[in-house]
Each structure stands twice: as C-alpha cells, then as structure tokens.
C-alpha cells in the first residue's frame, strides 16, 4: 500500500452527491406521506412518459428519456417488482414492451403534479443562488464538450503513473 487514503478527505463531488441524495429522500418522503409506498423519485420520469406514449421497449424508453439502456432496464425491473409496470413480448423474441399497470397508471396524476411542483421548487432555488445551478450545469456541460471528464482523468492518471 502506497500513499495516503484518497477517500479519507471528502472530495468535491461528495457534497453534490449528498445534496442530490437528500433532495431525492425529501421527494420520496412526500410519496410516503401521501400513502404511496415502494415508489422512488427515479420512477416518475419513465412512468409519466409511458402514460403519454403507451407501451415502449426498454430501448425506446431509454432513448426517449436520454438515459442508458442499462439504467432504464434496472429501473424497469424495480418498477416491475413494485407492480407499477408489466412487460409483454415485443416484435421479436429479444424485445419486450413495457406498459403501465393499473397501479402505475393511477399514480401518474400525482407524479406529474409532483414533477411540476419539483421543477417550480428547483427554479425557486436556482433564483436564490448567486450562481444559478442551471447556469453552472450549462457551463460544466460546455467544458466537458471541450474536453471530456474521461480525457481529464486519463491525463491525471498518466501524470501520476509509476515511472512517469
């Protein structure tokens, strides 16, 4: 073992991750207060989308949400366990179409209202900040288009590699 533990001191990302987790926990607490058990905030986006589009394959759903196939596949599996969606055979043996169950469909009006309320609350927070998070996120996105995080990490890895 060489060097000190790099995880011993909180990194710059930890606060962002912690804040996002806390915000999700607060949204989830609203669900529980409203008697909605087993629903995670990450389910709202795909459930609302399915309510508007009708059945989609996991690939179609992932593409429509701008998420990876893997992430949506995991989310759909979790939603299936909670009785929010079901799947049926698709056009070929490799695909399955995902559709809302009655329970999932019944939750969509609340989830859509919560989505709008969350967007309004985030806009309110954004307006309170001296550096709006939406502007910082856009600047971060532009910086990553100029040079990806992967390339930046590789440059640091190469600079600290043994024998460098």
């Amino acid at each position: 073992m060489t060097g000190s533990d790099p995880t011993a001191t909180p990194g710059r990302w930890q606060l962002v991750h912690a804040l996002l987790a806390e915000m999700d926990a607060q949204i989830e607490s609203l669900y529980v207060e409203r008697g909605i058990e087993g629903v995670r905030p990450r389910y709202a986006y795909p459930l609302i989308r399915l309510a508007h589009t009708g059945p989609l394959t996991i690939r179609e759903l992932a593409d429509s949400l701008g998420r990876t196939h893997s992430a949506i596949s995991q989310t759909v599996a979790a939603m299936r366990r909670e009785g929010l969606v079901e799947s049926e055979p698709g056009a070929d043996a490799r695909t399955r179409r995902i559709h809302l169950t009655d329970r999932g469909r019944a939750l969509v009006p609340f989830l859509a209202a919560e989505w709008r309320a969350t967007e309004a609350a985030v806009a309110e927070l954004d307006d309170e900040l001296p550096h709006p998070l939406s502007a910082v996120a856009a600047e971060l996105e532009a910086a990553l288009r100029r040079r990806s995080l992967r390339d930046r990490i590789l440059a640091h890895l190469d600079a600290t590699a043994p024998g460098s």
Side-chain angles (χ1 to χ4, degrees), residues 58-74:
I58 289 177
R59 170 68 57 210
E60 291 167 339
L61 184 57
D63 289 347
S64 79
L65 300 176
R67 302 289 194 262
T68 66
H69 182 277
S70 176
I72 292 301
S73 181
Q74 291 174 15

PDB file of all heavy atoms in Angstrom, residues 58-74:
ATOM      1  N   ILE A  58     -37.679  -1.204 -23.750  1.00  0.00           N
ATOM      2  CA  ILE A  58     -36.717  -0.559 -22.857  1.00  0.00           C
ATOM      3  C   ILE A  58     -35.820   0.379 -23.647  1.00  0.00           C
ATOM      4  O   ILE A  58     -35.549   1.504 -23.214  1.00  0.00           O
ATOM      5  CB  ILE A  58     -35.911  -1.606 -22.072  1.00  0.00           C
ATOM      6  CG1 ILE A  58     -36.824  -2.273 -21.045  1.00  0.00           C
ATOM      7  CG2 ILE A  58     -34.697  -0.971 -21.388  1.00  0.00           C
ATOM      8  CD1 ILE A  58     -36.192  -3.378 -20.235  1.00  0.00           C
ATOM      9  N   ARG A  59     -35.391  -0.023 -24.830  1.00  0.00           N
ATOM     10  CA  ARG A  59     -34.543   0.836 -25.673  1.00  0.00           C
ATOM     11  C   ARG A  59     -35.284   2.120 -26.047  1.00  0.00           C
ATOM     12  O   ARG A  59     -34.742   3.211 -25.959  1.00  0.00           O
ATOM     13  CB  ARG A  59     -34.104   0.080 -26.933  1.00  0.00           C
ATOM     14  CG  ARG A  59     -33.416   0.922 -27.993  1.00  0.00           C
ATOM     15  CD  ARG A  59     -32.053   1.464 -27.627  1.00  0.00           C
ATOM     16  NE  ARG A  59     -31.148   0.410 -27.270  1.00  0.00           N
ATOM     17  CZ  ARG A  59     -30.148   0.560 -26.399  1.00  0.00           C
ATOM     18  NH1 ARG A  59     -29.917   1.712 -25.834  1.00  0.00           N
ATOM     19  NH2 ARG A  59     -29.356  -0.442 -26.114  1.00  0.00           N
ATOM     20  N   GLU A  60     -36.532   1.985 -26.484  1.00  0.00           N
ATOM     21  CA  GLU A  60     -37.316   3.166 -26.849  1.00  0.00           C
ATOM     22  C   GLU A  60     -37.511   4.093 -25.653  1.00  0.00           C
ATOM     23  O   GLU A  60     -37.389   5.320 -25.776  1.00  0.00           O
ATOM     24  CB  GLU A  60     -38.680   2.752 -27.408  1.00  0.00           C
ATOM     25  CG  GLU A  60     -38.621   2.065 -28.754  1.00  0.00           C
ATOM     26  CD  GLU A  60     -39.927   1.393 -29.132  1.00  0.00           C
ATOM     27  OE1 GLU A  60     -40.769   1.090 -28.239  1.00  0.00           O
ATOM     28  OE2 GLU A  60     -40.111   1.149 -30.347  1.00  0.00           O
ATOM     29  N   LEU A  61     -37.803   3.514 -24.500  1.00  0.00           N
ATOM     30  CA  LEU A  61     -37.988   4.308 -23.293  1.00  0.00           C
ATOM     31  C   LEU A  61     -36.689   5.008 -22.907  1.00  0.00           C
ATOM     32  O   LEU A  61     -36.689   6.211 -22.615  1.00  0.00           O
ATOM     33  CB  LEU A  61     -38.494   3.422 -22.148  1.00  0.00           C
ATOM     34  CG  LEU A  61     -38.823   4.118 -20.832  1.00  0.00           C
ATOM     35  CD1 LEU A  61     -39.865   5.219 -21.022  1.00  0.00           C
ATOM     36  CD2 LEU A  61     -39.313   3.081 -19.808  1.00  0.00           C
ATOM     37  N   ALA A  62     -35.581   4.281 -22.932  1.00  0.00           N
ATOM     38  CA  ALA A  62     -34.278   4.870 -22.609  1.00  0.00           C
ATOM     39  C   ALA A  62     -33.963   6.023 -23.558  1.00  0.00           C
ATOM     40  O   ALA A  62     -33.561   7.109 -23.113  1.00  0.00           O
ATOM     41  CB  ALA A  62     -33.181   3.806 -22.671  1.00  0.00           C
ATOM     42  N   ASP A  63     -34.160   5.806 -24.848  1.00  0.00           N
ATOM     43  CA  ASP A  63     -33.882   6.855 -25.835  1.00  0.00           C
ATOM     44  C   ASP A  63     -34.769   8.078 -25.604  1.00  0.00           C
ATOM     45  O   ASP A  63     -34.299   9.212 -25.688  1.00  0.00           O
ATOM     46  CB  ASP A  63     -34.079   6.331 -27.258  1.00  0.00           C
ATOM     47  CG  ASP A  63     -33.004   5.345 -27.685  1.00  0.00           C
ATOM     48  OD1 ASP A  63     -31.964   5.221 -27.001  1.00  0.00           O
ATOM     49  OD2 ASP A  63     -33.220   4.670 -28.723  1.00  0.00           O
ATOM     50  N   SER A  64     -36.036   7.854 -25.291  1.00  0.00           N
ATOM     51  CA  SER A  64     -36.955   8.982 -25.109  1.00  0.00           C
ATOM     52  C   SER A  64     -36.635   9.794 -23.859  1.00  0.00           C
ATOM     53  O   SER A  64     -36.959  10.975 -23.786  1.00  0.00           O
ATOM     54  CB  SER A  64     -38.408   8.495 -25.067  1.00  0.00           C
ATOM     55  OG  SER A  64     -38.738   7.955 -23.804  1.00  0.00           O
ATOM     56  N   LEU A  65     -35.974   9.161 -22.888  1.00  0.00           N
ATOM     57  CA  LEU A  65     -35.628   9.840 -21.636  1.00  0.00           C
ATOM     58  C   LEU A  65     -34.183  10.331 -21.614  1.00  0.00           C
ATOM     59  O   LEU A  65     -33.777  11.001 -20.652  1.00  0.00           O
ATOM     60  CB  LEU A  65     -35.854   8.900 -20.447  1.00  0.00           C
ATOM     61  CG  LEU A  65     -37.274   8.371 -20.254  1.00  0.00           C
ATOM     62  CD1 LEU A  65     -37.311   7.371 -19.102  1.00  0.00           C
ATOM     63  CD2 LEU A  65     -38.262   9.497 -20.037  1.00  0.00           C
ATOM     64  N   GLY A  66     -33.408   9.960 -22.637  1.00  0.00           N
ATOM     65  CA  GLY A  66     -31.999  10.347 -22.641  1.00  0.00           C
ATOM     66  C   GLY A  66     -31.196   9.614 -21.576  1.00  0.00           C
ATOM     67  O   GLY A  66     -30.252  10.155 -21.011  1.00  0.00           O
ATOM     68  N   ARG A  67     -31.570   8.374 -21.317  1.00  0.00           N
ATOM     69  CA  ARG A  67     -30.888   7.547 -20.321  1.00  0.00           C
ATOM     70  C   ARG A  67     -30.277   6.329 -21.021  1.00  0.00           C
ATOM     71  O   ARG A  67     -30.623   6.016 -22.147  1.00  0.00           O
ATOM     72  CB  ARG A  67     -31.870   7.059 -19.238  1.00  0.00           C
ATOM     73  CG  ARG A  67     -32.596   8.140 -18.480  1.00  0.00           C
ATOM     74  CD  ARG A  67     -31.661   8.888 -17.540  1.00  0.00           C
ATOM     75  NE  ARG A  67     -32.371   9.704 -16.583  1.00  0.00           N
ATOM     76  CZ  ARG A  67     -32.580  11.007 -16.711  1.00  0.00           C
ATOM     77  NH1 ARG A  67     -32.172  11.621 -17.788  1.00  0.00           N
ATOM     78  NH2 ARG A  67     -33.214  11.678 -15.790  1.00  0.00           N
ATOM     79  N   THR A  68     -29.404   5.629 -20.315  1.00  0.00           N
ATOM     80  CA  THR A  68     -28.816   4.432 -20.898  1.00  0.00           C
ATOM     81  C   THR A  68     -29.799   3.267 -20.820  1.00  0.00           C
ATOM     82  O   THR A  68     -30.672   3.234 -19.935  1.00  0.00           O
ATOM     83  CB  THR A  68     -27.511   4.028 -20.185  1.00  0.00           C
ATOM     84  OG1 THR A  68     -27.818   3.633 -18.838  1.00  0.00           O
ATOM     85  CG2 THR A  68     -26.490   5.161 -20.196  1.00  0.00           C
ATOM     86  N   HIS A  69     -29.618   2.334 -21.724  1.00  0.00           N
ATOM     87  CA  HIS A  69     -30.438   1.117 -21.723  1.00  0.00           C
ATOM     88  C   HIS A  69     -30.292   0.408 -20.384  1.00  0.00           C
ATOM     89  O   HIS A  69     -31.280  -0.036 -19.792  1.00  0.00           O
ATOM     90  CB  HIS A  69     -30.005   0.208 -22.871  1.00  0.00           C
ATOM     91  CG  HIS A  69     -30.811  -1.046 -22.982  1.00  0.00           C
ATOM     92  ND1 HIS A  69     -30.547  -2.161 -22.216  1.00  0.00           N
ATOM     93  CD2 HIS A  69     -31.873  -1.363 -23.766  1.00  0.00           C
ATOM     94  CE1 HIS A  69     -31.416  -3.108 -22.513  1.00  0.00           C
ATOM     95  NE2 HIS A  69     -32.231  -2.654 -23.456  1.00  0.00           N
ATOM     96  N   SER A  70     -29.065   0.305 -19.883  1.00  0.00           N
ATOM     97  CA  SER A  70     -28.803  -0.380 -18.620  1.00  0.00           C
ATOM     98  C   SER A  70     -29.539   0.278 -17.459  1.00  0.00           C
ATOM     99  O   SER A  70     -30.160  -0.400 -16.636  1.00  0.00           O
ATOM    100  CB  SER A  70     -27.293  -0.401 -18.346  1.00  0.00           C
ATOM    101  OG  SER A  70     -27.026  -0.976 -17.099  1.00  0.00           O
ATOM    102  N   ALA A  71     -29.469   1.604 -17.379  1.00  0.00           N
ATOM    103  CA  ALA A  71     -30.125   2.319 -16.278  1.00  0.00           C
ATOM    104  C   ALA A  71     -31.636   2.117 -16.328  1.00  0.00           C
ATOM    105  O   ALA A  71     -32.273   1.856 -15.294  1.00  0.00           O
ATOM    106  CB  ALA A  71     -29.786   3.805 -16.333  1.00  0.00           C
ATOM    107  N   ILE A  72     -32.212   2.218 -17.512  1.00  0.00           N
ATOM    108  CA  ILE A  72     -33.667   2.053 -17.626  1.00  0.00           C
ATOM    109  C   ILE A  72     -34.064   0.605 -17.394  1.00  0.00           C
ATOM    110  O   ILE A  72     -35.100   0.324 -16.786  1.00  0.00           O
ATOM    111  CB  ILE A  72     -34.184   2.588 -18.978  1.00  0.00           C
ATOM    112  CG1 ILE A  72     -34.028   4.103 -19.010  1.00  0.00           C
ATOM    113  CG2 ILE A  72     -35.633   2.198 -19.224  1.00  0.00           C
ATOM    114  CD1 ILE A  72     -34.772   4.865 -17.914  1.00  0.00           C
ATOM    115  N   SER A  73     -33.246  -0.329 -17.830  1.00  0.00           N
ATOM    116  CA  SER A  73     -33.536  -1.738 -17.587  1.00  0.00           C
ATOM    117  C   SER A  73     -33.602  -2.011 -16.081  1.00  0.00           C
ATOM    118  O   SER A  73     -34.515  -2.699 -15.605  1.00  0.00           O
ATOM    119  CB  SER A  73     -32.461  -2.613 -18.239  1.00  0.00           C
ATOM    120  OG  SER A  73     -32.739  -3.969 -18.028  1.00  0.00           O
ATOM    121  N   GLN A  74     -32.669  -1.458 -15.324  1.00  0.00           N
ATOM    122  CA  GLN A  74     -32.670  -1.630 -13.864  1.00  0.00           C
ATOM    123  C   GLN A  74     -33.890  -0.952 -13.241  1.00  0.00           C
ATOM    124  O   GLN A  74     -34.528  -1.505 -12.344  1.00  0.00           O
ATOM    125  CB  GLN A  74     -31.389  -1.066 -13.265  1.00  0.00           C
ATOM    126  CG  GLN A  74     -30.158  -1.865 -13.605  1.00  0.00           C
ATOM    127  CD  GLN A  74     -28.879  -1.187 -13.119  1.00  0.00           C
ATOM    128  OE1 GLN A  74     -28.906  -0.280 -12.306  1.00  0.00           O
ATOM    129  NE2 GLN A  74     -27.751  -1.639 -13.634  1.00  0.00           N
TER     130      GLN A  74
END
